[in-house]
């Protein structure tokens, strides 16, 4: 059954791999599943045909036979549960890996998103200089906690899992802020994720679409 996912026709990041299709591509590459990518313009994302797949008119979506999914975390979990390599066989370890997936999107991603949104859209606002340190400190607080838990380990809980895939994907978005480099253990963790051949293939695939294209907005 052919897997079809959606991605930006022209990602605003110009090929840095920061849009959420990259984590889905990465999961598919980790488990060795072939897939097709349907590219969408911002306008097409808001049209009825796409809204039938994604209620919020966004990417990524995932279609496999009769199944249609949205939400990158749910898509990665579906891939991980159906194919070996991204969740441990042990039921408790698997539950913990899923908890890390939720931690990535529910505990780390919100303050990181707030910071990136502020840096992108609030620079010219009168409150920007005063607010930025507060937003940065919220991110630092979570990174300190995460860094402490990771310690000297390569991955969050034993072998690389979908929890790491999601966490690295979320942390990657911090790179341009410089904050990640304040936490060398986390910077090395992200670099380990990026070095995985499956990530490299996913990154190259999205880059081939986006590099050289001009930014068109968030
Ligand atoms: N919670 C959803 C998920 O995890 O799938 C969020 C999906 C989402 O935010 N999709 C974004 C989208 O479709 C693309 S990833 N936006 C278009 C719209 O809402 O109209 C967010 C994103 C966009 C651009 C960059 N970038 O250029 O760096 C990074 C991340």
């Amino acid at each position: 059954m052919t897997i079809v996912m959606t991605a930006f026709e022209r990602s605003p990041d110009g090929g840095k791999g920061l849009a959420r299709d990259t984590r889905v591509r990465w999961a598919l590459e980790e488990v060795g599943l072939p897939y097709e990518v349907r590219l969408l313009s911002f306008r097409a994302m808001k049209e009825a045909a796409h809204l039938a797949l994604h209620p919020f008119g966004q990417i990524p979506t995932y279609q496999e036979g009769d199944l249609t999914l949205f939400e990158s975390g749910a898509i990665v979990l579906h891939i991980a549960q159906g194919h070996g390599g991204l969740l441990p066989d042990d039921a408790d370890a698997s539950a913990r890996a899923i908890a890390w997936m939720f931690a990535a999107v529910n505990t780390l991603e919100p303050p990181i998103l707030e910071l990136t949104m502020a840096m992108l859209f609030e620079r010219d606002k009168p409150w920007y200089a005063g607010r930025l340190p507060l937003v940065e400190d919220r991110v630092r607080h979570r990174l300190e906690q995460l860094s402490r838990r990771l310690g000297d380990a390569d991955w969050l809980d034993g072998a690389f899992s979908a929890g790491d895939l999601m966490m690295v994907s979320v942390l990657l978005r911090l790179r341009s802020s410089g904050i990640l480099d304040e936490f060398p253990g986390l910077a090395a963790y992200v670099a380990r994720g990026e070095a995985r051949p499956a990530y490299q293939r996913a990154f190259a695939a999205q880059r081939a679409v986006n590099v050289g294209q001009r930014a068109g907005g968030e």
Side-chain angles (χ1 to χ4, degrees):
M1 217 171 303
T2 308
I3 291 169
V4 182
M5 59 174 288
T6 51
F8 282 131
E9 178 184 80
R10 182 176 298 197
S11 177
D13 72 4
K16 293 197 182 87
L18 300 178
R20 290 180 178 84
D21 59 295
T22 303
R23 54 188 75 169
V24 174
R25 294 174 186 267
W26 185 5
L28 290 165
E29 294 287 352
E30 287 284 351
V31 302
L33 279 178
Y35 59 99
E36 291 176 7
V37 182
R38 198 159 52 78
L39 301 175
L40 292 173
S41 65
F42 276 85
R43 199 181 64 186
M45 271 182 243
K46 309 303 171 199
E47 288 172 355
H50 187 65
L51 287 169
L53 306 180
H54 195 307
F56 309 115
Q58 296 183 311
I59 62 97
T61 58
Y62 174 98
Q63 289 170 280
E64 182 187 0
D66 292 335
L67 174 68
T68 298
L69 286 175
F70 60 95
E71 281 298 330
S72 58
I75 297 169
V76 170
L77 180 58
H78 171 73
I79 294 165
Q81 285 178 326
H83 304 274
L86 282 175
L87 287 175
D89 292 335
D90 176 76
D92 286 357
S94 178
R96 290 196 302 272
I98 293 169
W100 280 116
M101 295 182 70
F102 276 83
V105 295
N106 213 26
T107 302
L108 272 297
E109 196 162 47
I112 290 174
L113 198 55
E114 199 179 351
L115 175 62
T116 53
M117 290 293 119
M119 290 169 67
L120 274 174
F121 298 119
E122 295 177 18
R123 273 183 197 279
D124 58 344
K125 305 294 184 209
W127 63 79
Y128 181 71
R131 181 171 181 262
L132 189 67
L134 304 177
V135 178
E136 287 178 336
D137 280 349
R138 274 183 220 133
V139 173
R140 282 194 187 96
H141 177 57
R142 289 296 178 223
L143 295 187
E144 274 159 18
Q145 294 171 315
L146 184 67
S147 178
R148 205 174 310 127
R149 172 56 79 98
L150 180 66
D152 293 333
D154 279 354
W155 307 113
L156 287 167
D157 189 355
F160 176 83
S161 77
D164 297 296
L165 186 153
M166 292 299 291
M167 191 64 80
V168 168
S169 298
V170 163
L171 295 177
L172 268 169
R173 221 172 161 187
L174 274 178
R175 184 163 276 147
S176 64
S177 73
I179 291 182
L180 193 58
D181 295 328
E182 296 173 22
F183 300 85
L186 290 182
Y189 169 67
V190 169
R192 270 192 296 283
E194 287 177 297
R196 291 180 71 83
Y199 177 84
Q200 293 288 317
R201 289 193 294 274
F203 181 83
Q206 67 74 34
R207 191 168 188 278
V209 173
N210 291 305
V211 80
Q213 303 227 38
R214 280 193 334 117
E218 173 74 359

